[in-house]
Amino acid sequence: GFPGANAKCRAEFPDSFFCSYGDYSRAEPGAGAPAGGAWVDYERTSAGVRASSPCNNGLGSWTYAGTADIADYVNTTGGTVGSNCNIARALTCRTPIKRVFRGFTATSYLGDLGGFPGANAKCRAEFPGSFFCSYSDYTRSEPSVGGPATGAWVDYERTSAGVRATSPCNNGLGSWTYSGNADIADYVNTYGGTVGSNCNVPRQLACCQGY
């Protein structure tokens, strides 16, 4: 069950727990899962209760290792894929975090950032430990500066489960994988507001951090 999954995470990462996909998204990974994928739990209810469906054969979630039920795993690009329960995979583990604004990257990028893991990696290259902000991450951290003159890309808001939106700069491969003018994304302007833009304009990235 999920207590056993939590224990397995803590054996390798003290104080961590077994993620839902929303937990994984909120933790701002800098890379996708290993080649074989890594199990994640289904989303919680609005009350925070874990779903009871994955790998369940009558005893509750994560109690079954056969082919008669399925669960989700994170793939190498940070998305989720369904799978039967009879395949050994790593587990996705995280610890709680909160948000602060770190700054804007010195380097500017078109909309193809390599997905949100690629955007996170670009932020970390300039601000170790940081990740690519959504606009609410930026505003909740109460920044004292607006965006640079050319603007700084920010991600669209997450769902209530914490999963990032899949729409900005998306041409069929997911968010932040496109640098043309057939899709748009938001950027922070000099006043701290957001403006929509085509994805073929180079802009800096807004980077936040969790503690």
Side-chain angles (χ1 to χ4, degrees):
F2 74 84
N6 287 343
K8 291 173 175 61
C9 279
R10 286 175 189 149
E12 297 193 34
F13 307 102
D15 300 322
S16 70
F17 61 89
F18 178 49
C19 298
S20 70
Y21 186 61
D23 293 327
Y24 168 79
S25 297
R26 286 192 194 98
E28 304 307 339
W39 295 117
V40 286
D41 208 0
Y42 287 6
E43 299 313 325
R44 296 176 176 81
T45 69
S46 58
V49 178
R50 288 175 179 265
S52 59
S53 51
C55 295
N56 180 357
N57 197 24
L59 294 175
S61 58
W62 303 105
T63 60
Y64 175 66
T67 60
D69 198 18
I70 62 171
D72 283 353
Y73 67 91
V74 177
N75 64 15
T76 55
T77 60
T80 52
V81 184
S83 166
N84 291 126
C85 304
N86 64 331
I87 300 173
R89 303 186 193 281
L91 302 185
T92 308
C93 308
R94 63 153 279 192
T95 54
I97 57 176
K98 65 179 182 180
R99 308 292 192 227
V100 295
F101 176 64
R102 287 290 304 276
F104 301 107
T105 60
T107 305
S108 296
Y109 303 92
L110 302 177
D112 184 357
L113 301 174
F116 76 83
N120 288 342
K122 290 172 174 61
C123 277
R124 286 176 188 151
E126 298 195 32
F127 303 101
S130 71
F131 60 85
F132 181 46
C133 302
S134 71
Y135 183 59
S136 64
D137 291 328
Y138 168 78
T139 56
R140 272 184 238 160
S141 64
E142 304 302 338
S144 59
V145 295
T150 54
W153 294 119
V154 286
D155 207 1
Y156 287 6
E157 299 314 320
R158 296 174 180 82
T159 69
S160 59
V163 177
R164 287 175 178 265
T166 59
S167 51
C169 295
N170 180 355
N171 197 24
L173 294 175
S175 59
W176 303 105
T177 60
Y178 176 65
S179 58
N181 61 8
D183 199 17
I184 62 171
D186 283 354
Y187 67 90
V188 176
N189 63 17
T190 56
Y191 300 100
T194 52
V195 183
S197 165
N198 291 124
C199 304
N200 62 341
V201 180
R203 303 188 192 281
Q204 294 159 254
L205 305 184
C207 304
C208 295
Q209 189 157 353
Y211 291 102

